[in-house]
Amino acid sequence: MDLAATLRSGVVLPAHPLALAVDSTVDLRAQRALTRYYLAAGADGVAVGVHTTQFELHHDRGLLGEVWRLTAEEVAAAGGERVLVAGVTGDTREAVAEAELARELGYHAVLLCPWGMAEVSEAALLDRARAVGDVLPTVGFYLQESVGGRRLGREFWNALFDLPSVVAVKVAPFDRYRTGDVVQTLLEHDRWAEVAVLTGNDDTIVHDLLTPYRRQVAGRQREIRATGGLLGQWAVGTRAAVSLVARVKKAAAEAAVPFDLLAEASALVEINAAVFDVANGFAGCVPGVNEVLRQQGLIATAGCLGRDVLSPGQSDLIAGVRTRYPELLDEEFVAEHAARWLS
């Protein structure tokens, strides 16, 4: 697999949730079922060990490895080339150890999660990225502050893109100005055509996929846009996401944006508001993803390893968007195949 080219081609990468049983242990049967769902939906791969997988999972590296292994086994059984991304956390030593484990299990790239690194200098983050990049190709990650990210300047992104191990960047600050910082910096960089931009802005998915960023550099025009995504919201409605990316590719090729795509963008924002618990500052975003899957019968509980819980009324809001937008949440597809995925 030419990993960099695959990522630039436009990929749908769900951020894989962690399926728990009611006693808060990992439900391996349901965990496999979720991977089967994403593969059957046509996803180009999955990212595991990321925010939606619950960063607390990294406190138990043995369990983290088991979850990574289960996913890799299901991907191998399905056949075809799919991208396996491992989210790593911690300081340089911890992140390198996790990357080495992911490499042993057949993962192709590492997402450099900034969780727990809010007080670390940008220089230390770059040192970590460099060390992890000696193990596996890396994906930079601009995570919104409300769920553990931090502000990062253009100098940081320029230095990150200097690293040849960086094959992509996930832009997820939920902020147009900060998204622009990353993409405008890449436009000016010598590696502008080598690094894929993946949207992680669940509130602007369609706009990120459609919008070109342009810049004249040395007398020649460069253009970048997010050609794919690595998204928590794509952990639900995955088949609809695959269809969306295909339609965006067609619109980009024809240089014509159908109004239906813009209408779908608005619908996805409303879905995101319920699932990610926007009314409460994203407090229930991870259990919100789980709650969709629980209501659909794929997992047993919306519960999490840490303190994250559904906000009051969030379950009802999720039920409401499932009723209003069944096609965008794969309601019929999941209902038809859930029993087989869980078998």
Side-chain angles (χ1 to χ4, degrees):
M1 176 194 300
D2 185 337
L3 176 63
T6 298
L7 294 174
R8 292 195 302 271
S9 71
V11 290
V12 173
L13 298 175
H16 204 306
L18 184 67
L20 298 182
V22 293
D23 63 358
S24 296
T25 60
V26 176
D27 185 340
L28 299 181
R29 172 171 166 264
Q31 192 71 21
R32 286 186 183 275
L34 292 180
T35 307
R36 292 170 180 173
Y37 163 37
Y38 302 137
L39 299 176
D44 299 290
V46 288
V48 193
V50 296
H51 178 235
T52 316
T53 325
Q54 303 176 38
F55 287 140
E56 290 81 3
L57 179 63
H58 292 261
H59 294 319
D60 184 339
R61 190 167 298 154
L63 185 56
L64 173 67
E66 178 69 3
V67 170
W68 274 342
R69 182 185 63 79
L70 284 176
T71 304
E73 287 177 352
E74 290 300 323
V75 169
E81 286 193 335
R82 302 273 199 344
V83 179
L84 281 168
V85 179
V88 303
T89 65
D91 61 19
T92 298
R93 179 185 58 80
E94 293 165 336
V96 166
E98 289 187 354
E100 289 172 342
L101 174 59
R103 181 180 61 188
E104 292 172 9
L105 295 170
Y107 281 70
H108 304 106
V110 161
L111 182 69
L112 297 165
C113 299
W115 181 71
M117 306 289 284
E119 305 303 321
V120 174
S121 69
E122 291 186 356
L125 290 175
L126 290 168
D127 287 341
R128 183 180 74 148
R130 190 175 296 106
V132 172
D134 288 337
V135 180
L136 279 174
T138 58
V139 179
F141 188 5
Y142 204 169
L143 177 66
Q144 61 172 315
E145 290 178 84
S146 60
V147 292
R150 55 177 290 178
R151 180 184 288 273
L152 295 164
R154 291 195 180 197
E155 295 81 5
F156 170 83
W157 295 110
N158 189 69
L160 187 75
F161 297 142
D162 283 342
L163 303 179
S165 57
V166 176
V167 291
V169 57
K170 172 181 174 174
V171 186
F174 282 46
D175 182 299
R176 303 313 297 157
Y177 297 105
R178 298 188 191 184
T179 295
D181 283 343
V182 178
V183 184
Q184 294 290 355
T185 301
L186 182 56
L187 267 174
E188 296 178 344
H189 199 279
D190 289 344
R191 300 186 64 232
W192 71 276
E194 300 173 22
V195 178
V197 176
L198 305 176
T199 181
N201 291 317
D202 304 73
D203 59 341
T204 56
I205 297 169
V206 177
H207 293 87
D208 278 359
L209 293 172
L210 285 171
T211 303
Y213 289 77
R214 293 171 178 160
R215 177 71 63 87
Q216 287 283 336
V217 178
R220 301 185 67 177
Q221 181 164 276
R222 296 176 175 180
E223 179 177 301
I224 293 174
R225 63 185 176 86
T227 52
L230 196 169
L231 291 150
Q233 184 156 326
W234 283 356
V236 297
T238 312
R239 195 184 195 200
V242 171
S243 171
L244 169 66
V245 171
R247 285 179 286 124
V248 168
K249 287 181 181 179
K250 184 174 185 292
E254 297 174 352
V257 179
F259 281 112
D260 284 351
L261 273 179
L262 299 179
E264 187 166 326
S266 298
L268 287 170
V269 170
E270 185 174 3
I271 290 170
N272 183 254
V275 176
F276 272 42
D277 194 25
V278 173
N280 296 288
F282 304 96
C285 60
V286 174
V289 171
N290 292 350
E291 177 64 7
V292 176
L293 299 167
R294 186 200 67 79
Q295 290 186 15
Q296 291 179 326
L298 282 171
I299 65 177
T301 176
C304 296
L305 292 174
R307 298 178 180 178
D308 293 347
V309 296
L310 290 168
S311 292
Q314 189 182 359
S315 181
D316 291 338
L317 288 174
I318 289 170
V321 294
R322 289 183 61 223
T323 298
R324 291 194 298 280
Y325 305 109
E327 70 286 353
L328 295 180
L329 288 168
D330 293 350
E331 295 295 334
E332 184 176 334
F333 180 62
V334 173
E336 180 180 355
H337 299 288
R340 178 168 58 82
W341 296 332
L342 285 161
S343 64

